[in-house]
Amino acid sequence: DGGNHNKMAVFLNLCVFFLTASIALVQAAPRIVDLSHRQDGNSLTWPGNPSYNFTQLFRGFAELYGFWYENNHFAMPEHMGTHIDAPVHTTQGMWKTDQIPIEKLYGPGVIINVKEKVKSNPDYRVTVEDLMMWEKKFGEMPRHAIAIMNSGWSDKYPNKTQIFGSTQHDNASSFHFPSWHVDAVTWLINKRQINAVGVDTPSTDFGQASVSASFPCHTTLGRNNVVGIEYVANLDKVPENGSTIYVPVLKLFDGSGGPARVFATYDDEPNKTNAAAILANPTSLFRFAIYFSMILLCEIGL
């Protein structure tokens, strides 16, 4: 009886261990945040582009297959809703959408919050000083990051008047919305080897760039083979530092851009190791503990 009692005690202790370990793994899993607007008939694009088109080809019970079946057709501009600008969008001979190396489509997230500044100036442009303030707070930016301006503008989407800052939706020279200053974009490229620069507004150049038609940020990104990202959403849901941002875009042959399902991952605790990495690491103490416990269970005959 004493032996059985000891075995039961060991068994209960191991149950508690496995339960605790399972909870720890769930807690260690990174959060995932969708940074994309839905593509539909309300999706926004630049004046002159065609609208979004979605056609149901078949929706119903398919007698031939014996099950419910759906199939659709959609058509849209490359530069609509949450999307990227490939470097060739503004610079001949640079990467087309399908030529962008996959390692350029993700990186450490750097969120530049200018929400307070745009309240008094809808034409605000992110400055080098804003970048310096970010580094003063968080330390030097990691190389090959994804830097995105958070102006709070995505809350206005898809209201055209609010997004464009104008009631003249087809007159780009009347637009007023924030974006990047070319000096800040140049600094990110030269000093921090940035992978991509993004905005929660319609363009990586501010609204009034259309007046001069120079679009300096677009052309600077293009000639340096740096990806632009426009209409990013939900930036308040990710930390300004400490995330990883992914930009999976359609691998569109010969494209100048394309719709993307941008998303970010981050750990609630900065020093916490990703759960998958814990189990994959052969030297992991946690993994060793699991193996040891399994062996122990076999030894005691439970």
Side-chain angles (χ1 to χ4, degrees):
D1 289 343
N4 290 333
H5 178 77
N6 289 336
K7 287 184 178 182
M8 183 58 67
V10 171
F11 177 75
L12 290 174
N13 285 332
L14 288 173
C15 285
V16 171
F17 169 80
F18 282 117
L19 179 61
T20 304
S22 298
I23 293 173
L25 276 176
V26 171
Q27 291 176 336
R31 289 182 178 267
I32 300 177
V33 179
D34 190 347
L35 300 180
S36 308
H37 293 291
R38 184 177 68 189
Q39 296 286 8
D40 59 22
N42 293 317
S43 295
L44 299 185
T45 188
W46 203 252
N49 282 335
S51 59
Y52 180 86
N53 179 275
F54 184 90
T55 305
Q56 294 181 14
L57 299 180
F58 187 89
R59 184 166 298 186
F61 186 82
E63 297 289 346
L64 178 63
Y65 303 124
F67 53 75
W68 180 270
Y69 180 70
E70 293 191 14
N71 188 22
N72 309 295
H73 172 272
F74 72 95
M76 60 184 290
E78 297 172 314
H79 305 271
M80 172 176 274
T82 306
H83 69 277
I84 74 154
D85 291 348
V88 76
H89 182 46
T90 55
T91 308
Q92 186 178 19
M94 308 311 281
W95 288 330
K96 295 180 181 292
T97 306
D98 62 304
Q99 296 172 330
I100 301 170
I102 194 69
E103 59 268 22
K104 299 294 185 180
L105 294 173
Y106 88 104
V110 172
I111 310 300
I112 307 299
N113 190 326
V114 294
K115 292 170 69 174
E116 288 300 317
K117 295 180 178 180
V118 304
K119 288 180 179 179
S120 59
N121 181 11
D123 295 318
Y124 187 80
R125 288 175 283 177
V126 178
T127 65
V128 175
E129 182 181 358
D130 291 322
L131 303 180
M132 295 292 96
M133 290 300 294
W134 189 97
E135 292 202 337
K136 183 177 180 180
K137 184 176 181 180
F138 298 110
E140 188 172 295
M141 290 181 192
R143 299 308 191 266
H144 312 298
I146 307 290
I148 304 178
M149 174 194 75
N150 179 10
S151 67
W153 225 252
S154 66
D155 292 342
K156 306 174 188 293
Y157 193 94
N159 186 305
K160 284 187 177 182
T161 298
Q162 293 183 18
I163 283 288
F164 292 136
S166 170
T167 58
Q168 303 176 56
H169 305 155
D170 295 324
N171 179 11
S173 65
S174 72
F175 290 173
H176 294 275
F177 56 78
S179 193
W180 290 85
H181 193 286
V182 67
D183 290 347
V185 169
T186 302
W187 187 92
L188 286 170
I189 293 171
N190 293 336
K191 302 294 185 181
R192 298 295 180 263
Q193 294 77 55
I194 201 77
N195 270 0
V197 173
V199 291
D200 54 355
T201 59
S203 172
T204 50
D205 280 286
F206 80 132
Q208 285 294 287
S210 297
V211 175
S212 64
S214 60
F215 296 97
C217 292
H218 272 83
T219 55
T220 298
L221 292 170
R223 65 171 175 261
N224 285 281
N225 260 342
V226 175
V227 171
I229 317 168
E230 295 169 343
Y231 286 126
V232 182
N234 300 322
L235 289 167
D236 286 340
K237 295 182 179 180
V238 293
E240 294 176 20
N241 178 47
S243 70
T244 300
I245 295 178
Y246 300 84
V247 192
V249 62
L250 289 176
K251 197 171 183 179
L252 188 63
F253 173 72
D254 207 32
S256 69
R261 186 71 180 268
V262 183
F263 67 94
T265 64
Y266 71 95
D267 290 328
D268 287 331
E269 298 176 20
N271 296 323
K272 188 181 290 180
T273 304
N274 181 284
I278 293 175
L279 292 177
N281 183 358
T283 64
S284 167
L285 179 61
F286 177 79
R287 188 176 183 182
F288 172 78
I290 290 178
Y291 290 160
F292 177 78
S293 299
M294 291 173 64
I295 294 171
L296 182 60
L297 279 171
C298 294
E299 288 294 322
I300 64 177
L302 291 176

